């Protein structure tokens, strides 16, 4: 009995140990409290959203859009915030697209941006998240820093570094470096993705294969233009520019290392040459480890025929490799950066999110109240117009016999005008014959020249 009890205790201790190890493996940089799950779900208990039946409300909004050509931004915000259960993805994207393409788009509430991404995120619709965030023209969804941080941290936890790196590149495209946690997570995500780059599907270019030639009159032709920013689609270009962007704002040895690797990935060799010349007096210029990573990222830079610029770059890299470099792990410093940023900002981020949730609820109620007052005002004005029209019609009926003579004169006047506008049959035939024989002046001029 004693031995079996002891064995049971050992098994229980081992179970606790393995569970704790499992939790430690899954624990990433941000704590679970960063999700603010309970506080976010409290929106469903508010008076505005509690009684909303999502599917029925969607049908009402759809009908309103078909009738009036637009839907109020506050109504769409209520609809989006009411969603919790899966199965509303298509309706959600459809309604957000309708909002974006209407004049109401400029009145989109900040809670709408958050609620759209949060719904897709909570229901594991990663592909739709990238579709929505990349298509700013048709959806117009721009997440805040907390949403970006939550997305990157979750994908890192799932070891889906491709997804995390895509989110990091979106921050770069927005040229947003205002949040330290987002900056640190972006660099970490790109670095981890480049360890094993895969599963990044580049969107295919649509090619018109129709043989029929269609001529369209245009005022002027646009020259082909590539902006080197929003037009980027290749993973290496996006990762390179993202590393360089956040590396510049990071500074120090790690920042310079990221810039060096990033600009080479982005194939901005002249920029790298200038930077190496600027860095030559710095201490611990870059990490020694970066040269191995560059050779892995860009093997063509060290083999085969090279252009004059690439030869200059190769010589500069050889010079840099002999300067004051820093040993150690790039990944370790990136991890320390993230942990430090989380330690300094996580609590304030959580409190700011909770404050935003409360402000969004108040804002939604005030805007809806104003919107309903405007609708009521329009209804009263229309009712007044209808009453006025009814009174005029009734007055016309009551005074018909008194004004019968005037009415008949008006009818006669209208008939004379119609008759005056009619074209006599002879003139009509002559006009049709003239139209058939008409020759444009430029054609006539060419005929005379030929003759």
């Amino acid at each position: 009995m004693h031995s079996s009890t002891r064995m049971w205790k050992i098994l229980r201790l081992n179970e606790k140990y393995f569970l704790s190890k499992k939790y430690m493996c899954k624990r990433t940089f941000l704590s679970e409290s960063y999700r603010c799950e309970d506080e976010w779900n409290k929106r469903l208990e508010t008076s505005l959203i509690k009684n909303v039946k999502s599917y029925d409300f969607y049908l009402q909004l759809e009908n309103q859009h078909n009738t009036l050509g637009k839907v109020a931004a506050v109504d769409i915000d209520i609809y989006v915030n009411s969603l919790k259960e899966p199965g509303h993805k298509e309706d959600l994207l459809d309604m957000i697209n309708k909002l974006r393409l209407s004049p109401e788009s400029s009145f989109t509430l900040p809670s709408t941006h958050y609620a759209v991404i949060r719904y897709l995120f909570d229901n594991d619709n990663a592909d739709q998240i990238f579709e929505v965030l990349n298509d700013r023209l048709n959806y117009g969804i721009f997440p805040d820093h907390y949403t970006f941080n939550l997305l990157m941290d979750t994908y890192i936890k799932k070891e889906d570094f491709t997804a995390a790196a895509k989110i990091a590149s979106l921050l770069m495209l927005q040229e947003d470096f205002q949040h330290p946690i987002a900056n640190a997570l972006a660099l970490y995500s790109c670095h981890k993705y480049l360890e094993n780059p895969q599963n990044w599907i580049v969107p295919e270019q649509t090619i018109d294969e129709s043989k029929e030639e269609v001529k369209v009159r245009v005022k002027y032709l646009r020259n082909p233009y590539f902006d080197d920013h929003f037009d980027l689609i290749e993973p290496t270009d996006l990762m390179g520019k993202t590393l360089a962007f956040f590396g510049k704002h990071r500074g120090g040895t790690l920042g310079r290392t990221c810039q060096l690797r990033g600009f080479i990935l982005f194939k901005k060799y002249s920029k790298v040459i200038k930077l190496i010349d600027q860095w030559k007096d710095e201490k611990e210029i870059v990490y020694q480890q970066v040269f191995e990573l560059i050779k892995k990222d860009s093997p063509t830079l060290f083999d085969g025929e090279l252009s004059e610029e690439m030869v200059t770059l190769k010589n500069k890299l050889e010079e840099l490799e002999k300067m004051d470099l820093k040993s150690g792990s790039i990944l370790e410093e990136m991890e320390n950066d993230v942990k430090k940023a989380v330690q300094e900002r996580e609590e304030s981020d959580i409190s700011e999110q909770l404050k935003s949730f409360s402000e969004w609820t108040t804002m939604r109620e005030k805007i809806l109240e104003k919107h309903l007052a405007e609708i009521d005002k329009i209804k009263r004005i229309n009712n007044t117009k209808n009453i006025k029209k009814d009174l005029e019609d009734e007055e016309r009926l009551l005074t018909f016999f008194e004004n019968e003579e005037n009415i008949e004169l008006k009818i006669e006047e209208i008939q004379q005008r119609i008759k005056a506008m009619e074209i006599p049959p002879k003139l009509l035939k002559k006009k049709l014959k003239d139209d058939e024989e008409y020759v444009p002046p430029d054609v006539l001029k060419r005929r005379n020249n030929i003759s």
Side-chain angles (χ1 to χ4, degrees):
M1 185 72 178
H2 178 71
S3 61
S4 62
T5 305
R6 185 178 178 187
M7 181 64 71
W8 176 251
K9 286 183 177 179
I10 291 170
L11 288 171
R12 292 292 294 171
L13 286 170
N14 285 338
E15 183 184 8
K16 288 181 180 179
Y17 171 75
F18 285 118
L19 284 173
S20 64
K21 290 294 284 181
K22 185 179 180 182
Y23 174 77
M24 286 173 65
C25 291
K26 287 192 173 182
R27 171 72 167 90
T28 49
F29 301 108
L30 298 174
S31 66
E32 283 298 312
S33 57
Y34 198 88
R35 294 171 62 96
C36 302
E37 193 73 36
D38 295 335
E39 291 79 5
W40 172 240
N41 288 332
K42 284 180 181 178
R43 79 197 187 282
L44 300 171
E45 300 170 8
T46 59
S47 57
L48 273 180
I49 296 175
K50 183 167 59 175
N51 298 321
V52 173
K53 295 181 180 179
S54 302
Y55 184 69
D56 293 342
F57 193 42
Y58 169 77
L59 293 178
Q60 290 179 26
L61 297 179
E62 178 74 9
N63 182 57
Q64 185 180 341
H65 182 269
N66 293 336
T67 307
L68 303 176
K70 66 176 183 177
V71 181
V74 66
D75 288 338
I76 291 181
D77 183 72
I78 293 170
Y79 167 69
V80 172
N81 278 273
S82 72
L83 300 178
K84 178 65 177 176
E85 301 300 325
H88 298 279
K89 179 188 69 178
E90 299 298 331
D91 294 343
L92 168 66
L93 298 182
D94 175 57
M95 198 51 62
I96 290 300
N97 177 250
K98 284 180 168 63
L99 173 63
R100 180 60 172 174
L101 301 180
S102 74
E104 285 288 314
S105 179
S106 57
F107 303 109
T108 304
L109 276 65
S111 53
T112 304
H113 299 272
Y114 185 87
V116 169
I117 298 303
R118 191 63 187 259
Y119 175 79
L120 296 173
F121 171 73
D122 289 340
N123 290 282
D124 294 324
N125 292 307
D127 293 338
Q128 278 69 40
I129 289 176
F130 298 125
E131 177 190 342
V132 169
L133 294 181
N134 277 313
D135 196 350
R136 304 162 194 82
L137 184 64
N138 287 311
Y139 295 109
I141 296 299
F142 301 94
D144 54 23
H145 293 120
Y146 317 120
T147 311
F148 276 123
N149 295 342
L150 186 61
L151 290 171
M152 283 190 284
D153 183 74
T154 303
Y155 292 134
I156 290 169
K157 179 179 180 178
K158 294 179 179 180
E159 296 187 357
D160 187 354
F161 299 115
T162 303
K166 285 181 178 180
I167 298 297
S169 68
L170 291 172
L171 272 168
M172 176 275 296
L173 291 174
Q174 291 182 197
E175 299 185 352
D176 188 349
F177 58 91
Q178 301 299 323
H179 200 284
I181 295 179
N183 297 352
L185 283 172
L187 285 175
Y188 181 86
S189 299
C190 294
H191 186 85
K192 290 296 289 182
Y193 165 76
L194 290 168
E195 284 182 355
N196 186 24
Q198 59 182 358
N199 301 328
W200 190 314
I201 300 172
V202 178
E204 295 182 2
Q205 298 289 333
T206 55
I207 301 172
D208 187 8
E209 296 180 352
S210 60
K211 296 180 180 179
E212 184 179 352
E213 184 178 353
V214 179
K215 294 183 179 181
V216 180
R217 183 183 295 277
V218 294
K219 292 183 179 179
Y220 54 88
L221 293 174
R222 291 184 179 275
N223 292 324
Y225 180 72
F226 185 79
D227 71 353
D228 222 19
H229 191 72
F230 290 110
D231 292 335
L232 296 174
I233 57 172
E234 290 296 330
T236 51
D237 292 338
L238 286 166
M239 288 298 93
K241 192 163 187 179
T242 304
L243 279 173
F245 175 77
F246 287 107
K248 177 183 177 181
H249 295 286
R250 166 60 173 79
T253 302
L254 180 62
R256 289 190 290 269
T257 302
C258 291
Q259 284 188 79
L260 180 67
R261 187 184 186 188
F263 280 124
I264 290 176
L265 273 169
F266 193 28
K267 301 179 183 62
K268 300 298 179 184
Y269 302 134
S270 59
K271 183 72 176 174
V272 177
I273 294 167
K274 289 179 182 178
L275 286 175
I276 292 174
D277 289 334
Q278 294 173 13
W279 293 340
K280 59 186 177 182
D281 295 327
E282 298 283 350
K283 294 182 179 179
E284 296 185 331
I285 302 175
V286 293
Y287 272 92
Q288 193 170 5
Q289 184 187 3
V290 75
F291 294 98
E292 297 175 13
L293 300 176
I294 290 171
K295 289 175 183 177
K296 177 190 171 185
D297 296 337
S298 309
T300 55
L301 192 61
F302 302 91
D303 298 322
E305 295 183 5
L306 301 176
S307 64
E308 185 178 345
E309 186 180 49
M310 293 174 74
V311 170
T312 306
L313 173 62
K314 187 178 178 182
N315 294 335
K316 285 290 181 182
L317 288 172
E318 290 173 356
E319 290 177 18
L320 180 61
E321 204 166 0
K322 297 174 185 176
M323 295 182 189
D324 186 14
L325 306 178
K326 185 176 182 177
S327 59
S329 170
I330 297 174
L331 182 62
E332 187 177 339
E333 185 168 353
M334 285 182 174
E335 288 177 348
N336 291 334
D337 265 11
V338 179
K339 290 174 184 175
K340 182 182 176 184
V342 169
Q343 187 178 2
E344 292 175 353
R345 288 294 300 268
E346 186 176 44
E347 288 185 11
S348 62
D349 278 8
I350 292 171
S351 62
E352 286 173 12
Q353 284 189 79
L354 299 183
K355 183 181 176 184
S356 294
F357 294 163
S358 177
E359 289 175 350
W360 291 345
T361 302
T362 306
M363 182 190 298
R364 188 182 302 119
E365 291 173 353
K366 287 182 177 178
I367 292 175
L368 181 63
E369 186 179 347
K370 185 179 178 182
H371 177 60
L372 292 175
E374 188 67 26
I375 291 174
D376 184 59
K377 180 182 175 182
I378 292 170
K379 281 184 178 178
R380 285 189 281 108
I381 290 171
N382 290 334
N383 286 337
T384 304
K385 288 180 179 178
N386 291 334
I387 291 169
K388 185 178 178 183
K389 186 178 182 299
D390 292 341
L391 289 172
E392 288 176 353
D393 292 342
E394 188 176 354
E395 182 183 5
R396 192 177 294 113
L397 286 171
L398 292 172
T399 59
F400 174 76
F401 293 104
E402 297 176 12
N403 300 316
E404 185 177 3
E405 188 177 344
N406 292 331
I407 293 171
E408 288 179 353
L409 288 171
K410 285 183 180 179
I411 293 172
E412 187 178 346
E413 184 182 345
I414 292 170
Q415 289 176 342
Q416 287 177 356
R417 286 180 186 174
I418 294 172
K419 191 174 181 181
M421 292 171 64
E422 291 179 356
I423 301 173
K426 290 183 179 179
L427 290 176
L428 182 61
K429 287 181 180 179
K430 185 177 184 303
K431 185 177 186 303
L432 291 171
K433 186 178 179 182
D434 291 344
D435 288 344
E436 290 174 1
E437 295 176 355
Y438 173 74
V439 179
D442 57 339
V443 176
L444 188 62
K445 186 176 179 182
R446 272 183 269 146
R447 283 181 184 174
N448 294 336
N449 289 337
I450 291 170
S451 61

